[in-house]
């Protein structure tokens, strides 16, 4: 019977530890880390600013642009409720409510790793740009500093994120800041169409996160190791809270886009017009700012990935 009593003690201790752990996570919230921003001063010329602006329309504005056309942040209505209530940040040049106090190095560090200048880590409700070339990253920074009207100071202030216990728990276990690259990231070789398409689909515009099985099993460091890579099926809420499943973009003939033509693909991606005449629905953005050359390169890359049989209704 002694053994049983000891077992009882052991279980109580384990329960206490688990409760203390849960309480710790609850009160600690989303963790902070010490940022190590690089020394960086972006010398942006007009070509870089224009490229940064174009890139922002494809990868930032969807989340950060408010009704009034300014990048002053808003409530993220499409965040699954199991993660909580979150507002995107005011990224205009306001000294107090925007981001003009960030140095270029701090911005680069945040965009790559997810750690803000004050150390606060931002969970996957904002993407991280790990594979973006230094030139493209610097273009975004040059743009954020530019005199574009949508970035002029706005006083919009939003409530702090209200993460659920699940979001906090995952931020203590699964979600971690990404490593800051230790070597420069060169521009992709545009003459190699497949490589350029891969860069666009996994680094610059990042189609693969939405278009694979789930954000929870996405491998940001090595995108091709993502579960169900480009096989679709990721369940995403639209702004009304309805679930829209992402599509299978692998070259499978029955369930993917194996029977599409390149022209149909380009029309769908750039203008949201599918071959059957239906518009693509939110959250699939029409990438109007994408060039034909880019859409064609993504198509070329998608032809080279393993087909996955996954019928999306
Ligand atoms: C899927 C939505 C989403 C996208 C896309 C996105 N962001 Fe964010 N961003 C957020 C959210 C949400 C926050 C606030 C996070 C928080 O407070 O925890 C944020 C925070 C930030 C911050 C931190 C501001 C501060 O106050 O410290 C900066 C800077 C930023 N975003 C810039 C960008 C840029 C530049 C892009 C495009 C390259 C971008 N974001 C794309 C959702 C997004
Ligand atoms: C924010 C998530 C998201 C991102 C990023 C995204 N997509 Fe989509 N995509 C979707 C969703 C959701 C659908 C389904 C829309 C619908 O059913 O109306 C879709 C549909 C499509 C379709 C239509 C397929 C079909 O069978 O009708 C194509 C093609 C496509 N996306 C290509 C791309 C490419 C290429 C990229 C990157 C440049 C990309 N998507 C980025 C969410 C996304």
């Amino acid at each position: 019977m002694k053994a049983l009593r000891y077992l009882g003690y052991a279980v109580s201790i384990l329960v206490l530890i688990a409760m203390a752990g849960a309480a710790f996570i609850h009160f600690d919230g989303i963790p902070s880390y010490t940022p190590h921003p690089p020394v960086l001063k972006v010398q942006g010329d007009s070509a870089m600013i224009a490229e940064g602006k174009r890139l922002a329309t494809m990868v930032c504005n969807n989340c950060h642009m408010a009704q009034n056309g300014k990048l002053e942040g808003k409530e993220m209505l499409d965040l699954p409720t199991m993660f909580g209530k979150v507002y995107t940040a005011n990224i205009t040049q306001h000294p107090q409510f925007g981001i003009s106090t960030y140095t270029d190095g701090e911005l680069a560090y945040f965009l790559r790793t997810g750690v803000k200048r004050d150390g606060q880590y931002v969970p996957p409700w904002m993407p991280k740009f790990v594979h973006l070339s230094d030139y493209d990253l610097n273009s975004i920074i040059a743009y954020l500093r530019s005199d574009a009207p949508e970035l002029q100071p706005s006083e919009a202030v939003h409530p702090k994120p209200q993460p659920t216990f699940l979001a906090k728990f995952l931020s203590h276990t699964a979600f971690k800041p990404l490593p800051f690259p230790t070597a420069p990231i060169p521009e992709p070789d545009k003459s190699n169409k497949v490589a350029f398409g891969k860069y666009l689909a996994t680094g610059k515009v990042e189609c693969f996160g939405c278009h694979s099985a789930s954000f929870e099993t996405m491998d940001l460091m090595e995108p091709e190791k993502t579960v169900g890579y480009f096989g679709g099926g990721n369940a995403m809420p639209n702004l009304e809270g309805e679930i829209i499943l992402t599509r299978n973009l692998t070259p499978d003939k029955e369930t993917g886009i194996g029977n599409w033509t390149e022209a149909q693909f380009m029309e769908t991606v750039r203008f949201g017009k599918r071959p059957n005449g239906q518009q693509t629905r939110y959250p699939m953005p029409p990438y109007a700012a994408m060039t034909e050359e880019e859409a064609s390169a993504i198509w070329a890359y998608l032809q080279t990935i393993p087909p996955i049989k996954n019928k999306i209704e």
Side-chain angles (χ1 to χ4, degrees):
M1 282 306 104
K2 231 182 186 172
L4 263 187
R5 181 145 26 105
Y6 285 129
L7 186 67
Y9 289 149
V11 169
S12 325
I13 288 171
L14 283 179
V15 167
L16 275 178
I17 292 175
M19 279 167 62
F24 170 76
I25 288 170
H26 176 68
F27 291 110
D28 191 48
I30 307 285
S32 288
Y33 297 84
T34 309
H36 298 286
V39 179
L40 176 70
K41 185 75 201 110
V42 175
Q43 305 290 351
D45 53 23
S46 58
M48 266 177 114
I49 293 173
E51 180 59 6
K53 181 173 172 118
R54 188 179 78 95
L55 190 48
T57 65
M58 294 196 284
V59 297
C60 318
N61 296 6
N62 207 9
C63 286
H64 283 280
M65 191 175 271
Q67 289 273 315
N68 63 6
K70 287 200 140 190
L71 295 181
E72 61 177 30
K74 59 183 173 191
E75 186 181 348
M76 256 187 106
L77 292 169
D78 54 355
L79 185 74
T81 45
M82 64 182 184
F83 293 124
K85 201 173 166 79
V86 172
Y87 296 78
T88 67
N90 177 342
I91 58 169
T92 68
Q93 294 158 6
H94 196 284
Q96 193 183 346
F97 307 119
I99 57 165
S100 64
T101 46
Y102 268 80
T103 63
D104 290 352
E106 286 168 339
L107 272 175
Y109 193 80
F110 170 67
L111 292 170
R112 291 222 190 270
T113 66
V115 177
K116 290 189 192 176
R117 70 189 289 266
D118 63 4
Q120 179 68 58
Y121 163 65
V122 175
W125 44 66
M126 159 137 176
K128 321 288 163 346
F129 301 89
V130 240
H131 303 291
L132 201 60
S133 73
D134 290 337
Y135 179 86
D136 284 337
L137 185 75
N138 291 349
S139 301
I140 295 183
I141 296 173
Y143 162 65
L144 290 172
R145 308 296 195 201
S146 73
D147 55 11
E150 62 275 18
L151 290 165
Q152 296 321 299
S154 150
E155 289 178 358
V157 190
H158 307 288
K160 291 226 167 318
Q162 296 149 37
T164 54
F165 181 78
L166 175 71
K168 294 182 204 169
F169 176 76
L170 288 173
S171 298
H172 277 87
T173 50
F175 304 152
K176 289 272 142 71
L178 291 155
F180 191 80
T182 49
I185 304 186
E187 278 289 272
D189 171 11
K190 288 192 184 158
S191 64
N192 179 340
K193 204 168 170 185
V194 170
F196 181 45
K198 179 179 176 195
Y199 171 69
L200 294 167
T202 60
K204 191 162 176 171
V205 194
E206 225 179 71
C207 322
F208 85 98
C210 286
H211 278 280
S212 298
S214 157
F215 289 118
E216 276 146 60
T217 45
M218 117 187 228
D219 190 334
L220 263 172
M221 296 312 294
E222 294 177 82
E224 285 147 307
K225 292 197 176 152
T226 293
V227 175
Y229 186 59
F230 274 113
N234 197 350
M236 301 193 62
N238 66 11
L239 296 173
E240 286 78 43
E242 294 160 333
I243 298 297
I244 309 285
L245 296 180
T246 64
R247 297 289 173 140
N248 183 344
L249 301 186
T250 70
D252 184 63
K253 288 223 183 295
E254 281 152 46
T255 63
I257 56 171
N259 284 327
W260 288 36
T261 65
E262 177 177 8
Q264 288 173 330
F265 176 80
M266 302 212 301
E267 189 74 6
T268 308
V269 176
R270 295 173 72 214
F271 308 112
K273 279 202 213 100
R274 284 188 177 127
N276 64 5
Q278 275 173 0
Q279 282 288 125
T280 52
R281 293 163 297 172
Y282 189 94
M284 170 69 200
Y287 290 99
M290 186 180 283
T291 64
E292 247 175 68
E293 184 200 4
E294 288 172 326
S296 164
I298 296 178
W299 168 259
Y301 170 62
L302 291 175
Q303 303 307 299
T304 69
I305 64 172
I308 293 179
K309 239 181 209 14
N310 185 25
K311 189 161 175 57
I312 310 293
E313 298 293 350

